[in-house]
Amino acid sequence: MVVVRDSVQMRQDMGNICNPGQKGGSRPPRDLTGLLREAVLVENTEQKENRSKPCWEQEFRNFLQSRNQADMVSCLDFLLETERIQVLEEEEKEIQNRKRAEEIKATKLRKLKEI
């Protein structure tokens, strides 16, 4: 019963972290795939605007760290990198600009070497 209560409490906390005191605020992603995609897409947008890390990514990271799951944090970092590469792949398929296509290839290669 304690696990259920903690889970309910975490959902309530996560639902109010980004928009405390606001009704109908940001909802957590439904699954890990949604979390990864949202984090990467928001990250790309926020780099242009000089903002901080996406809220749900950081909350999930804090959750894992609070449970001493360093291996899972490393897995999250790996999954985020692979999602970034996947987003670049999608962009590369749609891009018409040859220079941008070369930049994407170089970035993908660099990221693959880092992994």
Side-chain angles (χ1 to χ4, degrees), residues 29-43:
R30 289 181 172 248
D31 55 16
L32 183 59
T33 304
L35 174 78
L36 295 172
R37 178 57 58 139
E38 180 181 301
V40 170
L41 294 177
V42 169
E43 179 181 83

Side-chain angles (χ1 to χ4, degrees), residues 67-80:
R67 305 250 178 326
N68 294 324
Q69 295 185 1
D71 290 347
M72 289 294 137
V73 173
S74 296
C75 288
L76 177 62
D77 291 335
F78 174 78
L79 290 171
L80 284 166

Side-chain angles (χ1 to χ4, degrees), residues 40-104:
V40 170
L41 294 177
V42 169
E43 179 181 83
N44 289 343
T45 303
E46 289 183 346
Q47 281 179 349
K48 296 173 188 172
E49 298 174 7
N50 295 326
R51 292 187 186 173
S52 62
K53 281 188 173 184
C55 185
W56 294 116
E57 174 197 346
Q58 190 59 49
E59 284 306 313
F60 188 57
R61 186 178 299 279
N62 292 343
F63 171 77
L64 293 174
Q65 290 171 342
S66 72
R67 305 250 178 326
N68 294 324
Q69 295 185 1
D71 290 347
M72 289 294 137
V73 173
S74 296
C75 288
L76 177 62
D77 291 335
F78 174 78
L79 290 171
L80 284 166
E81 281 301 314
T82 57
E83 186 68 27
R84 288 180 189 109
I85 292 169
Q86 212 168 18
V87 167
L88 287 171
E89 287 271 335
E90 291 168 6
E91 183 182 349
E92 184 180 25
K93 288 178 184 176
E94 297 173 2
I95 199 81
Q96 299 297 323
N97 184 338
R98 186 176 188 132
K99 184 177 180 182
R100 178 65 183 141
E102 291 300 320
E103 289 174 3
I104 290 172

Side-chain angles (χ1 to χ4, degrees), residues 1-10:
M1 193 68 164
V2 173
V3 173
V4 172
R5 188 183 65 183
D6 288 345
S7 175
V8 170
Q9 181 63 39
M10 186 181 92

